[in-house]
């Protein structure tokens, strides 16, 4: 099967633009051997390349390109399949935009297309090329520092000593993970994540319960989270707790119960955030909406968790606006290298900005992910990069710092 891949990247400082021609000729020979064709655009600073060939060969060539340290900020923009090559000439011609007058460059580029088809102008690949040539792609391009310019303040460690022991009859415990403002080096909130005996993960805890007890166990477990918060003396920090949306719907007086427990542990409803995932909400929206009204009336905030991973997504936001949106880890992982993820997250940010909804990026593990998200305007983060969840304790946070030059 014929596959197409497009990426963009930036020329490293160590390579002079004059050397680019020679480098391209060298790799063009390798591409030709693998029958990978395409086109490579260069504007003096950025590369923009289309690769066409069999799935395996394109993959192999792209892997090699990714390892090359003569360019950086490499972002994969498109992966697709096509019946025929757009650029069928052997090798990989370099198309240097600086050799053309601005108004002639698109036509010159289209002359390189070997596929003879009327519809080529509407082809996604050609549209991508035009966007680069016309500089429109710059609107969404966020260049980041190489990760090697950055380090973390304290060693990553999950070995935080529990500072509080649960009661012997307690059937579940909580691990805490900070949500941080990395620029101001502040913990802004703390998420309580449920754990079974001996720190077993949430899924294990819930799976050993009979189906009929799930919602009750979920709701009543929150008392332990509030207790832990009191014992650790969270002060003015916000505490986020997770609830299945149906735990608020199926249990009578669920919201009153929550508010009572919050107060009983000396917390204020205003410092509690309830996180719900989108997929369960849609099934009984009206009842859920009523529970939300009660929560909000008491001063409790609402966060939409794992945003982008479920079914409802943006249409849910049309009917219901939470105070916070937590972007799911699947969209955050390797965001610095993925054009589609970048486009989606930028759209989420724009939408949430218009609705004055706070955005939190979840599952940040790499410095590069954080650098890109910072560049995009994200302020709040949760992830192993900063701190892993710690059982019955508030873990220390590692902060990114720029290495001295
Ligand atoms: P969540 O609410 O989205 O919580 C974040 C999960 O991602 C946590 O997993 C956390 O340990 C993990 N995580 C955080 N940062 C990173 C990272 O950088 N990389 C990776 N790979 N993972 C990261 P955990 O504790 O296993 O919780 C899984 C899910 O279980 C939670 O996802 C939440 O949906 C659910 N859950 C947790 N506590 C409760 C609860 O009390 N009630 C209910 N109904 N669900 C809960
Ligand atoms: Mn959560
Ligand atoms: Mn989540």
């Amino acid at each position: 099967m014929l596959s197409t891949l497009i990426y963009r990247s930036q020329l490293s400082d160590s390579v002079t633009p004059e050397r680019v021609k020679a480098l391209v000729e060298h790799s063009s020979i390798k591409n030709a051997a693998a029958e990978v064709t395409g086109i490579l655009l260069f504007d003096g600073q950025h590369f923009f390349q289309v690769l066409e060939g069999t799935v395996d060969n394109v993959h192999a060539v792209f892997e090699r390109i990714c390892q090359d340290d003569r360019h950086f900020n490499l972002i994969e923009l498109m992966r697709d399949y096509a019946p025929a090559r757009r650029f069928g000439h052997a090798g990989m011609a370099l198309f240097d935009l600086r050799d053309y007058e601005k108004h002639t460059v698109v036509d010159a580029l289209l002359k390189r297309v070997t596929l003879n088809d009327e519809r080529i102008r509407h082809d996604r690949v050609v549209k991508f090329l035009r966007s680069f040539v016309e500089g429109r792609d710059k609107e969404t391009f966020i260049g980041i520092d190489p990760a090697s310019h950055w380090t973390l303040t304290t060693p990553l460690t999950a070995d935080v000593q529990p500072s509080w022991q649960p009661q012997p009859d307690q059937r579940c415990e909580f691990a805490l993970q900070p949500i941080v403002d990395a620029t101001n080096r502040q913990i802004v909130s703390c998420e309580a994540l449920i754990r079974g005996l001996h720190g077993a993960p949430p899924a294990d805890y819930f799976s050993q319960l009979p189906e009929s007890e799930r919602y009750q166990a979920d709701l009543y477990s929150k008392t332990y989270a509030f207790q832990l918060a009191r014992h650790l003396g969270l002060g003015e920090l916000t505490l986020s707790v997770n609830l299945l949306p149906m735990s608020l719907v199926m249990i009578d007086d669920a919201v009153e119960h929550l508010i009572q427990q919050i107060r009983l542990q000396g917390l204020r409803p205003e410092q509690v955030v309830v996180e719900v995932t989108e997929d369960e909400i849609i099934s009984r929206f009206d009842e859920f909406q009523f529970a939300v009204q009660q929560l909000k009336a008491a001063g409790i905030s609402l966060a939409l968790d794992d945003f982008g991973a479920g079914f409802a997504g943006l249409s849910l936001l049309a009917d219901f606006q939470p105070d916070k949106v937590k972007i799911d880890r699947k969209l955050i992982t390797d965001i610095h290298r993925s054009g589609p993820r970048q486009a989606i997250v930028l759209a989420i940010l724009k939408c949430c900005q218009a609705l004055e909804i706070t955005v939190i990026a979840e599952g940040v593990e790499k410095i590069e992910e954080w650098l890109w998200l910072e560049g995009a305007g994200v302020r709040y983060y949760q992830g192993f990069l900063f701190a892993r969840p710690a059982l019955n304790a508030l873990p220390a946070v590692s902060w990114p710092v720029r290495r001295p030059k």
Side-chain angles (χ1 to χ4, degrees):
M1 201 189 315
L2 186 72
S3 79
T4 314
L5 188 150
I6 305 181
Y7 76 88
R8 63 166 298 153
S9 64
Q10 255 173 294
L11 185 67
S12 296
D13 290 343
S14 57
V15 189
T16 57
E18 292 71 46
R19 274 192 59 213
V20 168
K21 257 197 176 82
L23 294 174
V24 170
E25 271 158 27
H26 181 71
S27 45
S28 180
I29 297 166
K30 283 194 194 157
N31 294 348
E35 293 183 339
V36 170
T37 59
I39 192 160
L40 174 61
L41 309 191
F42 181 58
D43 68 1
Q45 201 187 351
H46 303 99
F47 293 107
F48 195 98
Q49 187 164 25
V50 177
L51 300 167
E52 295 178 305
T54 65
V55 176
D56 288 348
N57 288 358
V58 166
H59 180 78
V61 167
F62 186 57
E63 282 293 293
R64 201 178 65 223
I65 290 170
C66 289
Q67 300 306 322
D68 197 328
D69 61 5
R70 290 170 295 198
H71 62 171
F72 68 109
N73 265 334
L74 186 145
I75 301 164
E76 185 183 314
L77 298 171
M78 195 198 94
R79 241 178 231 256
D80 202 1
Y81 305 90
R85 294 174 197 255
R86 287 100 174 159
F87 301 95
H89 290 314
M92 180 69 59
L94 178 71
F95 188 90
D96 194 325
L97 302 186
R98 296 167 303 172
D99 296 342
Y100 299 87
E101 299 267 348
K102 225 184 162 101
H103 64 280
T104 62
V105 65
V106 171
D107 283 336
L109 184 62
L110 287 173
K111 283 207 184 91
R112 299 283 186 104
V113 175
T114 55
L115 185 66
N116 196 4
D117 188 326
E118 277 290 289
R119 288 162 300 184
I120 193 74
R121 279 175 180 268
H122 306 290
D123 182 59
R124 261 183 94 208
V125 171
V126 171
K127 289 202 253 180
F128 263 113
L129 287 166
R130 281 186 92 124
S131 162
F132 178 73
V133 168
E134 291 166 1
R136 274 180 288 125
D137 65 314
K138 288 196 176 64
E139 289 161 27
T140 51
F141 175 70
I142 295 167
I144 58 169
D145 265 359
S148 57
H149 291 185
W150 289 78
T151 181
L152 292 167
T153 50
T154 46
L156 285 173
T157 167
D159 306 328
V160 181
Q161 287 307 310
S163 35
W164 186 64
Q165 288 304 322
Q167 336 272 307
D169 61 341
Q170 205 173 308
R171 286 167 65 198
C172 65
E173 301 175 36
F174 281 86
L176 296 180
Q177 188 181 28
I179 295 169
V180 302
D181 171 344
T183 311
N184 294 311
R185 292 203 181 180
Q186 263 176 356
I187 296 179
V188 290
S189 185
C190 200
E191 179 170 7
L193 297 157
I194 205 163
R195 295 290 180 263
L197 291 178
H198 314 297
D204 292 5
Y205 171 71
F206 283 114
S207 67
Q208 49 93 36
L209 291 171
E211 193 71 25
S212 58
E213 282 178 30
R214 260 181 101 194
Y215 297 125
Q216 260 180 356
D218 186 25
L219 183 72
Y220 297 146
S221 70
K222 300 295 114 65
T223 298
Y224 298 126
F226 302 142
Q227 254 173 26
L228 175 62
R230 188 187 67 188
H231 282 272
L232 296 180
L234 287 191
E236 284 306 298
L237 270 192
T238 305
L239 180 74
S240 300
V241 293
N242 296 279
L243 275 171
L244 295 165
M246 285 307 124
S247 303
L248 292 168
V249 168
M250 304 289 275
I251 312 293
D252 291 339
D253 302 325
V255 176
E256 277 106 76
H257 170 83
L258 270 185
I259 297 164
Q260 197 186 18
Q261 293 302 315
I262 289 167
R263 294 230 163 87
L264 212 63
Q265 299 304 328
L267 302 172
R268 291 178 306 112
E270 288 80 4
Q271 69 185 118
V272 175
V273 180
V274 167
E275 297 190 2
V276 292
T277 45
E278 53 180 281
D279 49 346
E280 239 198 353
I281 295 175
I282 35 174
S283 58
R284 291 172 69 171
F285 188 74
D286 291 344
E287 290 160 282
F288 175 71
Q289 187 85 314
F290 180 66
V292 170
Q293 286 162 10
Q294 290 178 291
L295 287 172
K296 303 290 316 237
I300 296 171
S301 310
L302 211 88
L304 204 48
D305 206 348
D306 301 345
F307 189 72
F311 311 105
L314 295 171
S315 76
L316 184 65
L317 269 195
D319 295 328
F320 152 83
Q321 295 86 47
D323 303 279
K324 299 169 208 289
V325 151
K326 299 182 79 178
I327 304 179
D328 191 61
R329 179 161 62 91
K330 287 198 202 79
L331 289 174
I332 299 298
T333 302
D334 284 332
I335 189 153
H336 58 291
R337 297 197 36 183
S338 161
R341 284 183 177 75
Q342 295 180 359
I344 292 164
V345 168
L346 287 173
I348 294 176
L349 289 175
K350 206 166 172 185
C351 169
C352 288
Q353 194 178 29
L355 297 169
E356 298 296 349
I357 295 172
T358 303
V359 174
I360 298 157
E362 284 195 313
V364 180
E365 293 184 349
K366 301 186 183 115
I367 293 257
E368 295 96 319
E369 292 163 351
W370 169 71
L371 282 168
W372 188 90
L373 291 160
E374 275 290 304
V378 175
R379 233 179 117 185
Y380 304 110
Y381 304 91
Q382 182 175 3
F384 293 173
L385 179 69
F386 303 98
R388 283 170 185 264
L391 193 63
N392 297 313
L394 184 61
V397 176
S398 301
W399 301 108
V401 272
R402 209 162 197 289
R403 288 181 201 275
K405 282 189 179 156

